[in-house]
Amino acid sequence: MSTSTLSRVQTRFPSAVAVAVGLAAGFAVAQGTGVRALGGVLFAAGGLAAGWLWYRRRGAAVAAALAAGYVAAFVLAHVLAIGVGWPAWLAVGSVTVLAAAVSWVVADRPTS
């Protein structure tokens, strides 16, 4: 595979997928294994992958704003589950859909 082809593949991969994996799979791994740090590693990896894509597509300022939103979604899931009393999967699912949608609209949607 040529360098230009690899570059196109990497930049066309939707950052929204990395966001969804980081939040939802991070929670699932932490919940399923009982090792919160393991879920945290997945959360961080998803955030780093998405952050790299955001930076390449939209620059540092947008990447920083989306990264703040990604961390805010993580915090909001905890607030909804612990503070409000939502079932954990509902809280995580809701913030995952919201964060992935924002990521897609801001960084992944094709520009005309």
Side-chain angles (χ1 to χ4, degrees), residues 5-56:
T5 302
L6 181 58
S7 178
R8 279 194 309 252
V9 169
Q10 289 174 340
T11 57
R12 286 186 182 172
F13 184 82
S15 63
V17 171
V19 168
V21 168
L23 289 166
F27 170 73
V29 166
Q31 188 85 348
T33 64
V35 181
R36 293 175 62 124
L38 196 55
V41 167
L42 201 54
F43 169 75
L48 288 172
W52 180 78
L53 292 168
W54 296 329
Y55 176 74
R56 288 198 33 131

Side-chain angles (χ1 to χ4, degrees), residues 92-104:
V92 171
S94 298
V95 300
T96 298
V97 168
L98 177 63
V102 168
S103 181
W104 186 84

Side-chain angles (χ1 to χ4, degrees), residues 2 30 35 37 39 45 70 78 100 108:
S2 72
V35 181
Y70 181 71
H78 285 79
D108 297 335

